[in-house]
Amino acid sequence: MGKTAITSENAPKPPANFSQAVRKGNILQVAGAVAFDPATGEIVGDDVVSQTRQVFKNLNALLEEAGSSFADAVMVRVYLTDTSHFAAFNEVYNELIGEAPYAARTTVYVGLPAGLLVEIDVLAVLD
């Protein structure tokens, strides 16, 4: 069983040599998404709330391209640049993630390229 790259014009192109998402069988791994506008390549927003909303748009585009949604997510990894952003991020995340049962989630604090405040990747299992 081979791997299939999933791409969408509605999500930003990766800055390096990797796929936006990869599917093998019923497993879908969506690469870490950040708040780039797919049309302009510019960062959307200068706060964690607006960036999180854009990240979800980018992730949703890739999930939909693969015939999936957050309902199929079994693991979500969140990378934040600042612990003080957690409460605002979590409020938006809870609004956008969808209905229960919720995917497992890990949140870590990292450095990201200048201007980026949040990155999220998703592991989904499709029926």
Side-chain angles (χ1 to χ4, degrees):
M1 176 180 319
K3 295 186 292 185
T4 303
I6 306 296
T7 60
S8 173
E9 293 297 320
N10 296 317
K13 302 236 181 306
N17 191 21
F18 59 87
S19 299
Q20 292 170 307
V22 174
R23 181 174 181 169
K24 183 168 184 174
N26 66 338
I27 297 173
L28 176 68
Q29 176 64 53
V30 181
V34 293
F36 289 134
D37 180 308
T40 66
E42 299 294 321
I43 296 173
V44 175
D46 58 2
D47 62 86
V48 74
V49 169
S50 54
Q51 286 196 18
T52 300
R53 290 186 185 285
Q54 183 62 44
V55 170
F56 264 78
K57 286 181 186 175
N58 295 340
L59 291 169
N60 278 318
L62 290 163
L63 288 165
E64 288 174 8
E65 187 68 31
S68 182
S69 71
F70 271 101
D72 294 321
V74 295
M75 178 64 189
V76 176
R77 281 179 292 259
V78 177
Y79 307 91
L80 294 173
T81 60
D82 190 325
T83 57
S84 69
H85 295 157
F86 183 80
F89 162 80
N90 206 43
E91 188 173 320
V92 175
Y93 179 91
N94 289 340
E95 172 193 333
L96 299 176
I97 195 62
E99 295 184 21
Y102 304 109
R105 186 177 102 189
T106 301
T107 302
V108 294
Y109 298 94
V110 298
L112 292 171
L116 293 171
L117 304 174
V118 59
E119 179 176 345
I120 302 172
D121 69 81
V122 177
L123 177 66
V125 178
L126 290 61
D127 293 328

